Amino acid sequence: MACNDDPELPTRRRKPVQSAALPYQRVLPIKPSASAGAGRSTLMKRNVTRNVARLRVAVATALFVSTRPFALPAPPLPTVPDDVRAALAPDDLVLAFKTGELTGNGTKGLVVAVYPGARYVEEPRHGGNNPCKLIVFTDHEGTWKETARSDSAVDCVNNPYMSRPQEMMGIYDLEIAAGTIRWANATHRQHHTFEFTYDGTRKRWIVHAMTQDFPVERSADPDAPLGAAHGEIVSPRDFPVTPMEDLDPDRLWPLLVKHTITTF
């Protein structure tokens, strides 16, 4: 219908055009031929083949996705047992602890990374002085007796994760074995590790090694592959024999930097 804004003018309707066969055209019914039937059969076979292929791809994709690793909820952190808690101050926050045979003489030992006074504080203040301790205990007639400690191994000042510490958050940073203790100060970009070994002759723990690892950017291109930097210093090859209590990271850092190599 034509649009007419003037009501005084009548609306002119156009008659619909009826299609009709021209005089020289013959309208014949379409009958399926043998070739057409064969064509449809071939087309159906192709469709079936195509659908089967799509189904195989879908199944393969589903199997691939189902077998790919995916993030699982983190397991709950272990609780601190009463005997470990009894060896510390009531308000000490336990970052990690491990028990086992430490000195190789069959005596049970305990290693605890602790943030003193932070158990009931959401954001503890340290004033720039490292408050955290790595303490070694030995089982003495059923009670834990302190035998060694380091006030510098556990860095709670330069580690951003320690601004809001939580109980047992460092459980994966502490490793122990017979005659060996390792603590890793791990951040999202870099970590450095201290390793202590037990000197059976002197009956004490000594600083054995300090290592660091971190990624290195080759260029400003974010898609460029990263390099890996690794450094390691070992006593007594690189620094004198040092008791665990006398660990001084500030003194070892310049030496560690000299022994750090980057590979791409």
Side-chain angles (χ1 to χ4, degrees):
M1 178 183 295
C3 179
N4 188 354
D5 297 331
D6 190 349
E8 299 297 330
L9 297 177
T11 302
R12 298 176 60 185
R13 297 179 179 270
R14 298 175 59 186
K15 295 183 179 180
V17 178
Q18 297 180 354
S19 61
L22 297 176
Y24 52 84
Q25 285 183 330
R26 298 180 60 189
V27 180
L28 299 176
I30 299 177
K31 295 182 180 181
S33 62
S35 59
R40 283 196 299 270
S41 177
T42 303
L43 182 59
M44 292 178 62
K45 291 181 180 179
R46 290 178 181 175
N47 290 337
V48 171
T49 303
R50 187 180 297 110
N51 291 336
V52 170
R54 290 175 178 174
L55 180 61
R56 289 176 178 173
V57 171
V59 172
T61 303
L63 291 176
F64 172 73
V65 172
S66 64
T67 56
R68 294 183 64 185
F70 55 92
L72 295 175
L77 296 176
T79 57
V80 181
D82 294 337
D83 61 327
V84 175
R85 186 75 70 187
L88 307 171
D91 59 349
D92 284 350
L93 179 74
V94 177
L95 299 171
F97 80 91
K98 294 285 180 68
T99 59
E101 184 181 348
L102 294 177
T103 59
N105 59 4
T107 303
K108 186 179 180 182
L110 164 69
V111 181
V112 183
V114 60
Y115 198 137
R119 185 180 180 187
Y120 304 110
V121 181
E122 184 176 2
E123 296 185 27
R125 304 298 179 182
H126 48 68
N129 298 318
N130 184 48
C132 296
K133 322 289 181 183
L134 187 65
I135 310 175
V136 183
F137 297 89
T138 302
D139 184 14
H140 182 70
E141 297 180 356
T143 60
W144 294 118
K145 179 182 178 181
E146 181 179 331
T147 55
R149 72 161 54 198
S150 172
D151 296 340
S152 304
V154 183
D155 186 0
C156 290
V157 175
N158 302 306
N159 190 340
Y161 293 148
M162 293 298 179
S163 62
R164 300 170 66 93
Q166 297 180 5
E167 191 105 311
M168 296 301 292
M169 67 180 293
I171 185 62
Y172 301 111
D173 300 324
L174 177 62
E175 298 179 4
I176 66 170
T180 305
I181 299 172
R182 295 187 189 90
W183 172 263
N185 293 288
T187 67
H188 65 288
R189 290 284 294 177
Q190 185 262 2
H191 73 271
H192 64 277
T193 303
F194 295 105
E195 181 176 313
F196 307 92
T197 56
Y198 185 72
D199 186 340
T201 303
R202 298 180 175 88
K203 305 295 183 182
R204 65 180 183 182
W205 289 91
I206 61 173
V207 182
H208 174 67
M210 180 181 181
T211 63
Q212 70 167 340
D213 295 274
F214 56 91
V216 178
E217 295 180 353
R218 178 182 297 185
S219 66
D221 183 5
D223 297 327
L226 296 176
H230 174 74
E232 180 180 33
I233 52 177
V234 180
S235 174
R237 183 192 67 189
D238 303 311
F239 59 93
V241 175
T242 305
M244 184 178 187
E245 291 79 5
D246 296 336
L247 170 65
D248 185 0
D250 292 336
R251 181 174 61 88
L252 296 179
W253 268 116
L255 185 61
L256 180 61
V257 170
K258 293 180 180 180
H259 287 76
T260 299
I261 299 176
T262 302
T263 57
F264 290 96

